[in-house]
Amino acid sequence: MNEEVKPTELISSVRQLIKESRARVAVAVNAEITMLYYQIGKRINEDVLGNSRAEYGKQIVSALSADLIAEYGSGWGEKHLRHCMHFANMFPDSSIVYALRRQLSWTHFRTLIHIEDRLKRDFYLEICRIENWSSRQLDERIKSMLYERTAISKKPEETIVNDLNLLRDKQKLNPDLVFRDPYFLDFLGLKDVYSEKDLETSIIVELQKFIIELGSDFAFMARQKRITIDNCDYFIDLLFYHRRLRCLVAIDLKMGAFEAGFKGQMELYLRFLEKYEQAEGENAPIGLILCSGKNKEHVELMQLDQSNIRVADYLTALPSQELLQEKLHKAVEIARQKVNLTPT
């Protein structure tokens, strides 16, 4: 005979079954709703765009909305119908919507369709998909100007398209889609004077928030990882593993601006990790040097963009959104000009 099932175990088991069933139903319902809104938007567009008179378009949407509200309720107002129309316009390839309908909700798509820049929209679409962001997280990432802070935003458009296509079609993630500059560490609560030790300790205390800023595929492995070379001890401030890049990521925290010596120190860490810590099948380790300021010419002359070492600023207090947007857009423009001027 089977052992008697305890009431608490039975309740827990049944609850889990209910939760899993509800989750599957929610995914199915969301997928159906997303495709419904897309098809409605596409159908209206075909009818409205088939007639060149703008006034005709306004009239038909208004009349359709009135009929739908009368039959199905207030959720079918003109604003909603125009969202559906914009949805279909922003994603003319229905296969993309069909493929993502179970991963992204209508709320995700409604946020994405307001990003006019196609490359930026595709970036958020793909990163949202692989990192499984909620619609709230997507909104937060857009407000934090995540796209402008990634290395990919500073590349020529053809390269960006290629990197995003590789991610979508072959699940191949370029590190430039992962690493950012600057990193926002305002959640650490550090003000005025603080040390590298304070910075490191605050990151450990707020590790979950730090990982959110890094990206959801980062897994924490060690703090002050000791490595011994020729009887000399060195300490890697923070060691992470990136699941999709399949490599170790060593992070070095610096209080001041980037200095030339930081590169040699990080190269030593990476070569050690490659020799003694890298598992079979993993990619070469990547180093991230986080500085409170960055000497851009140092970084450029040392050609760090051609190595496995990344250098980025971190901000413990955020500037105004307007100033930040201006600085990031300027940085992107300067970087793209340099790329385009580089001889091939």
Side-chain angles (χ1 to χ4, degrees), residues 1-50:
M1 288 181 63
N2 293 333
E3 292 183 10
E4 184 177 349
V5 178
K6 296 179 181 178
T8 54
E9 292 178 354
L10 178 60
I11 291 172
S12 176
S13 177
V14 171
R15 280 176 176 166
Q16 186 62 31
L17 289 171
I18 293 172
K19 285 181 181 178
E20 291 173 357
S21 177
R22 284 180 171 177
R24 288 194 297 270
V25 169
V27 169
V29 169
N30 168 71
E32 190 61 34
I33 287 174
T34 299
M35 286 308 300
L36 172 65
Y37 292 164
Y38 179 81
Q39 289 165 351
I40 287 173
K42 189 174 182 180
R43 180 66 184 84
I44 297 173
N45 286 340
E46 288 171 353
D47 195 285
V48 170
L49 295 176

Side-chain angles (χ1 to χ4, degrees), residues 160-204:
I160 299 176
V161 170
N162 183 59
D163 283 353
L164 291 174
N165 285 341
L166 283 174
L167 178 58
R168 182 182 64 246
D169 300 334
K170 299 183 179 179
Q171 305 303 304
K172 184 177 180 181
L173 183 63
N174 187 315
D176 283 345
L177 284 163
V178 173
F179 292 96
R180 302 159 192 176
D181 184 22
Y183 285 87
F184 293 162
L185 307 183
D186 54 308
F187 54 83
L188 298 180
L190 295 171
K191 296 180 180 179
D192 303 322
V193 180
Y194 56 89
S195 66
E196 289 177 7
K197 183 74 171 178
D198 295 332
L199 178 62
E200 180 190 319
T201 300
S202 298
I203 285 174
I204 296 302

Side-chain angles (χ1 to χ4, degrees), residues 124-141:
Y124 283 114
L125 181 74
E126 291 304 319
I127 302 300
C128 181
R129 175 183 65 81
I130 67 169
E131 295 207 353
N132 197 29
W133 293 341
S134 66
S135 56
R136 180 178 178 180
Q137 288 172 319
L138 170 61
D139 191 55
E140 289 172 348
R141 301 302 191 277

Side-chain angles (χ1 to χ4, degrees), residues 327-344:
K327 289 178 68 175
L328 289 176
H329 281 306
K330 187 175 181 180
V332 168
E333 186 59 33
I334 291 173
R336 287 189 178 176
Q337 286 176 1
K338 286 181 178 178
V339 168
N340 291 332
L341 290 173
T342 302
T344 55

Side-chain angles (χ1 to χ4, degrees), residues 64-166:
L64 178 60
S65 173
D67 287 343
L68 292 175
I69 288 173
E71 191 166 353
Y72 298 109
S74 59
W76 293 94
E78 284 188 55
K79 185 176 181 180
H80 175 65
L81 292 182
R82 295 199 178 279
H83 278 144
C84 294
M85 295 165 67
H86 197 38
F87 182 22
N89 276 332
M90 289 292 101
F91 293 93
D93 185 353
S94 61
S95 65
I96 294 176
V97 179
Y98 186 81
L100 294 172
R101 74 196 191 285
R102 290 183 173 271
Q103 295 169 279
L104 304 185
S105 69
W106 161 242
T107 310
H108 285 107
F109 280 112
R110 194 174 59 191
T111 299
L112 290 166
I113 62 177
H114 293 294
I115 301 176
E116 295 298 327
D117 186 307
R118 180 180 59 84
L119 289 176
K120 186 190 297 188
R121 185 172 63 248
D122 287 348
F123 167 84
Y124 283 114
L125 181 74
E126 291 304 319
I127 302 300
C128 181
R129 175 183 65 81
I130 67 169
E131 295 207 353
N132 197 29
W133 293 341
S134 66
S135 56
R136 180 178 178 180
Q137 288 172 319
L138 170 61
D139 191 55
E140 289 172 348
R141 301 302 191 277
I142 293 172
K143 288 179 180 177
S144 76
M145 303 188 71
L146 179 63
Y147 173 75
E148 286 81 1
R149 293 191 288 127
T150 59
I152 193 175
S153 70
K154 301 170 178 64
K155 292 183 172 185
E157 289 191 0
E158 316 86 73
T159 308
I160 299 176
V161 170
N162 183 59
D163 283 353
L164 291 174
N165 285 341
L166 283 174

